[in-house]
Amino acid sequence: MTMARRRKHHIQIQSAHTETTTDYIKYDCLACPLHLNRFGQTVVSHRGLKSTSITYQRTRFASFTLAKVSLLVIVVVIFIALFHVVAVISNVHHLCIVPSAAGGSAAGCALGFGLHCDGSIQQIDGVLPKRTSHLFHKDVYNCDDSDKEASYLFVVRDPIDRLRSAFNYDRPEVGDDTSYYYRRFKPFYIDCPFWTVEEMTQNALSQQGHASSDCKAMAHASVRGLSSRGPSHLFYNYQYYKEAIPENAPILVLRNEHLVGDWNEIERYLGGSEVIDERTISQSNANTWTNADDLNISDESQSILCKALCNEIQIYKQILQMAQNLELSQVQESLEELKLKCPVEAVAERCYEALPDITQKLKENRGYTTKDRMN
C-alpha cells in the first residue's frame, strides 16, 4: 500500500487487573478510515494493526466503562441515601411541644422543659430533645409560626384518664386556705360537692344529681372546656390545642400509654439513634398523693363522662389520625383501648352536642381567631 507518509506511535495501556501491557499501534494514513479511541485520539483501522490489539482495546474500553458506571451507581445510591436522611431530619425544622395531656410532665421534663419537674429538669440525650425547642402550654405560646415546616409534638392520653388527672391535679390541699390555689379553686372543689371525680359526676352530671344549679352548670361547662372556673387543664382541652396551632401544621404524637415506644420511634424518624426505656423518663408528674377514692370512677359515672366528653373524644381521635409518626395499627390500638371505656363514643363520628365555637376563647388565650388562622 502506498502512503504519502506513515508515522508509528506507541501508546502503552496497562490493564487494571494484570501487570501486562499492550502496544496500541497508531498509524497516520490518509487513505484509511478514521475513528476515535478512548483517549480522544484519531486512529485508523489498518490491516497492519493486530486484531488482538483491537480486541484488547475494546475489552479494556468496555471494562473501563463498566467500572465507571458501577462507581457512578454506587455514588448515586449513597447520595440518595444521604439525601433521604437529610430530608427526613430537615423535614422537621423545629418541634413545639404541646403537653395537651394532663400528666404530660414526664415527657416535658425529659425534653428539657420545666413542667412540674419537682425542681429538677433532666433533659435526656437524643435528637428529639434537641429539636424540641418551643412550648405551647395553656396560654403560653412561644412556637415559631413563621416556620411553615415546624411540627407540633402533642402529648396525649385517653380523655377519661386525662380528665381524672386534670381534676386531681388542681384540687387544693385541705387547710391551706391562704394559698392561691385554695382561693382559686375553692368555689369548684369545696363550695360544690366535687371533692372527687366520682362525686362531681354523680352530683352534677347525673340526672339524679343534687348539686346546686350553679354547681351543675359549672361542672357541665368545665368538662366541655367552656369554663375557666373549674380545673385549668379541662379548660385548655384537646379542642383548644388543636384549633390554636396553625392550619394543617404537621403533628407528631407521644401517647402517654405508649410513651417509651412512641419516643423511640420519633427519635428514629428524626434520624437519631438514642433509645430510652421506662427508667429513662421520670414519672415525677404522677399523682402520688391521690388515694383510691381519687382514682375510682364507677361504670355508671364513666358512661356519663364518656357522653359529656364526646366532642373531646372525637378531637382526640383526629389528633391520633393526624400523627405522622403513628402507623394505622398504632392508631387502632389506642382506639381499641378507648373503646374499653367509651364503646359508643370511640366509634361514633358525631355527638349529640355540636362542637363548641371557641373563637373568643382562642382570641383571649392564643391571640388569634380561627379565621385569622386560615388566612
Side-chain angles (χ1 to χ4, degrees), residues 106 110 124-125 258-264 268 274-283:
I124 64 179
D125 295 329
H258 306 279
L259 184 57
V260 171
D262 290 349
W263 180 293
N264 288 333
R268 288 190 291 269
E274 293 291 334
V275 176
I276 66 169
D277 56 27
E278 287 77 5
R279 297 170 297 178
T280 308
I281 295 184
S282 169
Q283 296 298 322

Side-chain angles (χ1 to χ4, degrees), residues 198-335:
E198 180 71 15
E199 290 178 356
M200 178 196 69
T201 305
Q202 290 296 326
N203 293 332
L205 303 181
S206 171
Q207 293 182 351
Q208 292 77 34
H210 64 270
S212 67
S213 58
D214 182 61
C215 287
K216 286 183 176 181
M218 184 163 43
H220 185 280
S222 295
V223 169
R224 291 162 175 79
L226 299 176
S227 173
S228 59
R229 298 170 66 191
S232 58
H233 286 89
L234 295 185
F235 180 66
Y236 298 104
N237 58 2
Y238 287 141
Q239 182 188 4
Y240 167 76
Y241 286 113
K242 181 177 179 293
E243 294 192 18
I245 66 174
E247 191 81 11
N248 299 321
I251 289 177
L252 303 176
V253 165
L254 288 172
R255 296 169 296 168
N256 206 63
E257 299 86 354
H258 306 279
L259 184 57
V260 171
D262 290 349
W263 180 293
N264 288 333
E265 289 184 6
I266 293 178
E267 176 72 12
R268 288 190 291 269
Y269 173 83
L270 297 177
S273 59
E274 293 291 334
V275 176
I276 66 169
D277 56 27
E278 287 77 5
R279 297 170 297 178
T280 308
I281 295 184
S282 169
Q283 296 298 322
S284 61
N285 65 311
N287 287 323
T288 55
W289 60 86
T290 57
N291 56 40
D293 290 337
D294 297 328
L295 301 177
N296 176 62
I297 299 179
S298 66
D299 291 342
E300 179 186 4
S301 292
Q302 184 165 273
S303 178
I304 294 172
L305 290 172
C306 288
K307 186 175 182 180
L309 291 170
C310 182
N311 280 311
E312 186 75 345
I313 289 172
Q314 305 314 309
I315 300 295
Y316 168 72
K317 289 157 57 177
Q318 293 173 19
I319 293 173
L320 291 176
Q321 293 163 352
M322 293 171 64
Q324 296 185 346
N325 62 298
L326 295 182
E327 300 289 343
L328 181 60
S329 60
Q330 294 173 301
V331 174
Q332 190 61 38
E333 177 184 34
S334 292
L335 295 182

Side-chain angles (χ1 to χ4, degrees), residues 45-74:
S45 297
H46 191 269
R47 292 180 181 179
L49 187 61
K50 295 180 180 180
S51 62
T52 54
S53 296
I54 296 175
T55 303
Y56 176 83
Q57 180 63 11
R58 289 176 178 173
T59 303
R60 277 292 291 130
F61 178 77
S63 177
F64 180 79
T65 302
L66 180 60
K68 287 197 299 184
V69 171
S70 299
L71 180 61
L72 180 61
V73 170
I74 294 174

Side-chain angles (χ1 to χ4, degrees), residues 10-24 52-53 56-57 60:
H10 293 79
I11 302 174
Q12 283 198 332
I13 306 171
Q14 184 169 343
S15 171
H17 305 289
T18 68
E19 296 298 329
T20 62
T21 61
T22 300
D23 284 342
Y24 190 137
T52 54
S53 296
Y56 176 83
Q57 180 63 11
R60 277 292 291 130

Side-chain angles (χ1 to χ4, degrees), residues 114-126:
L115 295 172
H116 322 300
C117 301
D118 293 339
S120 62
I121 304 175
Q122 298 180 347
Q123 177 177 316
I124 64 179
D125 295 329

